[in-house]
Amino acid sequence: MNITAIYAGTFDPVTRGHQDVLARASRMFEQIVVAVAASPGKQPLFDLQQRVQLMQQAVARHDNIRIEPFNGLLVEFAAQQGATVIVRGLRSVTDFDYEVQIASFNRQMHPEIETVFVAADREFSFISSTLVREIASLSGDVSAFVDPLVEQALKKRFEQR
Ligand code: COA
């Protein structure tokens, strides 16, 4: 089987938790498309182009992962990209109800696209991009949570403010 899976998020910024889910997904599926959502409602710190670029650097060692920006419905974008699997990371039980609800909506819209959950490594299960941004904005050390290139980008971004 030659399966293309899609892993979507705002990635503002990409964290070691996302990288961990992606590393495992890249071993499970032949091709992975990382869909970087515009998410204008979240008013991201990094613009879409920067988030795509940071993601490209974060997954550079995997030759079966490509990055695409997207706007709109995830299932529609997945179908356009030829993906038949949506990968979602599950960090804890609090993610579970919401994720099952989203998966059910997505299945209703595109029954041929299956959602697969990947359990986040315990080491990363508490990370969120919002808290990483908050710590960086207060000059805290985020090196345990993000790639060194992301750490540098956060420093630069907050120096500009
Ligand atoms: N490690 C670390 N952090 C993780 C993580 C992991 N494994 N998995 C999730 N997170 C974090 C994310 O960084 C995010 O943090 P934040 O809220 O502080 O930014 C949070 O957990 C929630 O993640 P997620 O649910 O993936 O939200 P998101 O904003 O990153 O992405 C989309 C959401 C874009 C995937 C979703 O809104 C979407 O599909 N939108 C398209 C519109 C659509 O199809 N809507 C209909 C749905 S039925």
Side-chain angles (χ1 to χ4, degrees):
M1 284 218 277
N2 193 338
I3 297 179
T4 298
I6 199 155
Y7 180 58
T10 306
F11 306 118
D12 185 37
V14 53
T15 67
R16 290 191 191 277
H18 299 127
Q19 286 174 280
D20 167 57
V21 170
L22 272 167
R24 281 184 285 135
S26 78
R27 293 196 290 270
M28 292 165 64
F29 304 107
E30 284 69 26
Q31 293 293 323
I32 308 280
V33 177
V34 179
V36 182
S39 299
K42 281 194 148 185
Q43 298 187 309
L45 174 69
F46 292 105
D47 67 29
L48 185 55
Q49 198 188 342
Q50 287 171 311
R51 285 180 281 131
V52 166
Q53 225 168 51
L54 287 174
M55 180 57 88
Q56 264 157 354
Q57 291 164 346
V59 299
R61 68 180 179 283
H62 302 287
D63 57 13
N64 63 341
I65 300 182
R66 66 184 160 85
I67 324 294
E68 300 285 346
F70 93 107
N71 211 343
L73 273 182
L74 175 60
V75 272
E76 296 298 342
F77 186 68
Q80 261 175 40
Q81 295 290 317
T84 50
V85 169
I86 292 174
V87 171
R88 297 292 293 166
L90 275 187
R91 290 168 300 172
S92 65
V93 283
T94 47
D95 280 347
F96 185 78
D97 282 348
Y98 175 70
E99 291 297 339
V100 169
Q101 187 184 14
I102 300 282
S104 306
F105 268 112
N106 285 337
R107 189 175 317 113
Q108 187 77 26
M109 292 185 277
H110 272 267
E112 78 285 6
I113 299 179
E114 200 57 63
T115 299
V116 169
F117 298 111
V118 172
D121 191 299
R122 283 236 304 257
E123 193 185 345
F124 306 117
S125 61
F126 60 92
I127 301 181
S128 87
S129 298
T130 302
L131 289 177
V132 165
R133 290 196 305 276
E134 185 174 325
I135 295 166
S137 75
L138 300 169
S139 307
D141 179 3
V142 292
S143 59
F145 318 127
V146 297
D147 192 89
L149 289 165
V150 174
E151 191 185 356
Q152 274 172 31
L154 281 163
K155 269 197 188 130
K156 200 168 151 199
R157 190 72 188 83
F158 284 115
E159 275 164 16
Q160 284 167 356
R161 287 198 149 186

